[in-house]
Amino acid sequence: MQLSEILSSLGIQKENHGTSTGAQWIASQGEQLHSYSPVDGKEIGSFRTTDSAAYEAVIQKATEAFEVWRMWPAPKRGDVVRQIADALRKHKDPLGRLVSYEMGKSLQEGWGEVQEMIDIADFAVGLSRQLYGLTMHSERPMHRMYEQWHPLGIVGVISAFNFPVAVWSWNAFIAWVCGDVCVWKPSEKTSLCALACFHIIGEVLINAGAPEGINGLVCGGAEVGKWLSEDTRVPLLSATGSTRMGKAVGAAVGQRLGKSLLELGGNNAIIISEHADLNMALIGCVFGAVGTAGQRCTTTRRIIIHENVFETFKEKLVHAYSQLVIGDPLLETTHVGPLIDQDAVQHYMKALTEIKAEGGKAVVEGGVLSGSGFESGCYVKPCIYEVENRFKIVQHETFAPILYLMKYSKLEEAIAMQNDVPQGLSSALFTLNMREAESFLSHQGSDCGIANINIGTSGAEIGGAFGGEKETGGGRESGSDAWKAYMRRQTNTMNWGATLPLAQGIKFHV
Ligand code: UN1
C-alpha cells in the first residue's frame, strides 16, 4: 500500500480539523499547523489548532456526556471498549505505519504501539467487571461499612510525541470503563496519529450509542495545555512528557487542588553484574538504548558494568552497534529511525559537546548522518561514551540514542550510582545470582517505579502499573490498580439498627 492510501484509509486529509467531540469535528479559527515526517521531511498534512471557543464546545459536550455515561453499567462501558479493540485490530497495520511515518520509530515498534493499545483495551474490558471496593467491619452494632468507587468526570490527557497513540489509550480506555469522559491533547508533533485514532474510534462510539463528548480532542501547544491545567471542570489531568512540562502542569493543577497524574522523564540504568548472562544482557541494553532512537521515557541511558566484565561487555556493545541498520523506519529491516525533528538533533549535538567538555571518552562516536536517505536531517548515530555518573550531562535526560558506560566493583556501589539521578522511572539488573537479584529489589535496592531482573528498562507490559518516582512525577498508569487514580473513593456506613450509637464510644443524649 502506498503511504497516500494508508493516510486516506485512516481519514487523514491534506487539511484536517484538530478539534472533535468524538462524534463530530468542530471548526476553529486556530492556527493551521503542519506535520512533517522526520522520515523524509515531507509534509503529511495539516490541522487547525483549537481556539478558545472550540475548547469550550468540547468541554461543554464532555460535561453533558458525563451525566449520561456515568450511569451506564461499567460492563456496558467495557463492551464499547471491546469494540474499540476490534477496530484497532482491523487497523493495526495502517495505524502502525502512520505512527512510524509521523513519529519515526521503526515499523516493528509502530505495530507494537498499536498492539499496546489493543492489550490495554482487553485489560480494560476485564476491569470493567472488577472495579472492586473493600468492605469493613464496623465497630458499631447493626452497621455495615464499605467503600465504593465513583467516576471523577472529565479526565484531561496530555500525551507526548514518542508514544503518539498508546499513552492516550492507557488513560482513555481505563478512564472510560471507570465512567469518566476524556479530553485529549496530543503532542502537536504527532497530531495526525491522534486524528487517525479519532476516525477509527469515532465510528465505533457512534454505532455503540455512546454519548457524544466522551472522547474529546483538542490540538495545539502549551496554551491549550494551560487551559486544561487551569480548568476546574477537569478534576484529573494525566500528563506525559518532560519534567519541565510536568512541573508546570503539576503546579497549575495543584494550585486549584485538582488531581494530576504525571509520567515524566527517566534516566534509566542497567547494572551488568559479573554473574550476568552477557548475551541476554546485550539484547536488553541495545534495544533499550537505541529502540525508538532513544526517545522512550524508559530508554536505557546508563549501563553500570562490573569491572571484571567491563571490557568484554564493552566489546560486545561495540560489535552490536556496528551491526545497527539506521534509516527508513518503514523498512522492516531497519533498527533505528530518525529523531522527531531537527530541534531534537540540536539537543543531541549539544549533549555530545557537553559530554566531551566534562571528560567523557568516546566508545562509539556519535554524529548526524547526511546523504541519500537522510535528507530530512533528523538521522543521528547511536553512540556510546564512558563517563562518570556525577557529570551534569549524565544527570540530565537527553531524548536521543546516547548511551553512557560506567564501571563498578561492589553491587551496593552500582545501586547507589543507579539511584543517584533526579529521575526514578525504570531500572534493571542482569545477574544469575539470587542474592544480588533480591538485594536489587529490596528496600535498599532500586528507587525506581520499575525494577527488572534479566530484562531491560524499556518495553514494560501494560498489566503492571507504569510510572516512576522523584522527577518522574509519581503517577501510575495502565495496569494493576492504577484505575483507582481515575475514580473517587467513597466510604459508606449504613446503620440498619434502631438506635444511633456514636463511634469512639461517645455518649451524647438530647
Ligand atoms: C513512554 O516512553 O512514555 O515501557 C512510554 C515502555 C513502553 C511505554 C513507554 N511500554 O517502553
Side-chain angles (χ1 to χ4, degrees):
M1 236 206 238
Q2 293 292 310
L3 264 169
S4 56
E5 289 172 60
I6 288 172
L7 293 174
S8 62
S9 80
L10 291 167
I12 304 302
Q13 316 288 319
K14 200 86 202 94
E15 286 186 10
N16 302 275
H17 286 292
T19 310
S20 172
T21 58
Q24 49 184 322
W25 299 95
I26 296 190
S28 160
Q29 300 303 313
E31 207 187 332
Q32 192 82 23
L33 291 187
H34 303 262
S35 176
Y36 298 94
S37 167
V39 175
D40 53 16
K42 291 194 183 134
E43 186 187 328
I44 306 176
S46 67
F47 60 95
R48 211 172 263 287
T49 58
T50 304
D51 63 11
S52 57
Y55 174 83
E56 277 305 314
V58 170
I59 295 288
Q60 190 52 45
K61 269 280 173 243
T63 306
E64 288 164 24
F66 178 58
E67 300 291 316
V68 179
W69 186 239
R70 65 180 171 183
M71 293 311 290
W72 277 43
K76 291 268 178 274
R77 296 191 296 251
D79 189 55
V80 175
V81 176
R82 182 189 60 73
Q83 294 173 50
I84 289 172
D86 290 346
L88 287 169
R89 282 187 168 88
K90 270 196 216 117
H91 291 86
K92 180 172 172 180
D93 180 61
L95 185 57
R97 284 178 198 275
L98 175 61
V99 167
S100 175
Y101 190 49
E102 193 180 29
M103 187 277 156
K105 64 175 68 177
S106 75
L107 185 55
Q108 287 295 327
E109 294 182 70
W111 284 327
E113 184 168 347
V114 183
Q115 186 58 47
E116 202 161 347
M117 301 175 87
I118 296 167
D119 293 342
I120 195 75
D122 288 351
F123 178 92
V125 177
L127 178 67
S128 70
R129 292 183 184 268
Q130 299 174 75
L131 300 167
Y132 301 137
L134 297 171
T135 62
M136 302 91 193
H137 288 261
S138 170
E139 65 193 50
R140 287 170 282 186
M142 294 174 185
H143 280 56
R144 186 164 67 84
M145 269 180 91
Y146 67 106
E147 65 187 17
Q148 49 174 347
W149 293 87
H150 294 301
L152 288 171
I154 301 177
V155 174
V157 180
I158 295 179
S159 64
F161 74 85
N162 64 337
F163 273 80
V165 291
V167 170
W168 164 68
S169 68
W170 294 353
N171 286 281
F173 298 175
I174 299 290
W176 285 336
V177 300
C178 290
D180 298 313
V181 298
C182 285
V183 175
W184 180 18
K185 188 197 97 56
S187 162
E188 64 272 39
K189 295 177 184 175
T190 49
S191 292
L192 299 186
C193 287
L195 301 187
C197 289
F198 269 65
H199 281 287
I200 296 168
I201 287 166
E203 207 180 293
V204 177
L205 294 178
I206 294 167
N207 292 341
E212 175 181 358
I214 69 162
N215 189 24
L217 177 73
V218 291
C219 278
E223 193 190 13
V224 180
K226 196 161 176 278
W227 293 339
L228 281 169
S229 309
E230 292 175 356
D231 196 333
T232 50
R233 294 166 296 179
V234 179
L236 171 66
L237 186 55
S238 171
T240 302
S242 66
T243 296
R244 197 168 54 91
M245 176 282 293
K247 283 183 176 166
V249 166
V253 177
Q255 182 68 29
R256 60 176 169 93
L257 299 182
K259 294 178 204 282
S260 56
L261 196 168
L262 302 175
E263 205 271 278
L264 313 173
N267 194 345
N268 318 297
I270 296 182
I271 301 174
I272 310 290
S273 150
E274 58 180 325
H275 306 296
D277 176 330
L278 295 186
N279 292 330
M280 269 171 70
L282 186 67
I283 300 171
C285 290
V286 177
F287 178 72
V290 311
T292 327
Q295 300 169 105
R296 289 191 189 209
C297 54
T298 51
T299 290
T300 307
R301 310 216 172 271
R302 300 175 294 144
I303 308 193
I304 307 169
I305 311 170
H306 192 274
E307 57 190 3
N308 291 351
V309 291
F310 187 86
E311 290 304 325
T312 317
F313 196 66
K314 187 165 92 177
E315 269 168 38
K316 282 181 182 288
L317 279 170
V318 172
H319 178 72
Y321 269 54
S322 71
Q323 311 288 307
L324 291 175
V325 180
I326 309 163
D328 181 348
L330 286 153
L331 298 175
E332 274 187 68
T333 45
T334 298
H335 298 111
V336 186
L339 290 179
I340 183 69
D341 55 19
Q342 294 191 4
D343 271 1
V345 175
Q346 289 311 314
H347 285 122
Y348 163 90
M349 289 305 289
K350 195 164 157 267
L352 298 194
T353 310
E354 287 177 30
I355 294 165
K356 283 171 200 157
E358 288 194 89
K361 231 173 70 196
V363 175
V364 173
E365 191 63 90
V368 181
L369 293 161
S370 56
S372 165
F374 302 128
E375 288 86 354
S376 71
C378 297
Y379 292 85
V380 301
K381 282 198 230 162
C383 52
I384 308 179
Y385 293 87
E386 260 182 75
V387 298
E388 285 177 38
N389 199 53
R390 59 172 177 83
F391 288 0
K392 253 171 88 183
I393 188 68
V394 175
Q395 296 280 316
H396 173 82
E397 179 193 45
T398 304
F399 234 43
I402 304 173
L403 182 62
Y404 300 123
L405 301 190
M406 291 163 247
K407 202 183 277 180
Y408 79 92
S409 55
K410 289 219 163 51
L411 185 63
E412 304 82 81
E413 188 195 326
I415 294 174
M417 255 195 251
Q418 113 84 33
N419 289 344
D420 189 16
V421 287
Q423 311 81 355
L425 180 56
S426 187
S427 59
L429 165 65
F430 276 85
T431 185
L432 299 177
N433 179 303
M434 189 260 258
R435 284 192 183 144
E436 286 193 338
E438 291 294 342
S439 153
F440 182 69
L441 301 177
S442 76
H443 292 338
Q444 54 186 9
S446 163
D447 67 359
C448 290
I450 297 171
N452 297 330
I453 302 293
N454 294 329
I455 67 163
T457 58
S458 69
E461 298 179 23
I462 58 91
F466 183 87
E469 304 301 327
K470 303 192 290 188
E471 283 197 357
T472 303
R476 291 295 185 279
E477 296 172 306
S478 196
S480 183
D481 65 352
W483 61 270
K484 290 178 176 168
Y486 299 81
M487 301 197 85
R488 62 186 169 87
R489 184 197 310 246
Q490 185 174 66
T491 302
N492 306 115
T493 308
M494 165 78 93
N495 175 3
W496 56 278
T499 59
L500 188 70
L502 298 179
Q504 297 91 42
I506 293 173
K507 303 268 180 275
F508 185 79
H509 299 290
V510 281

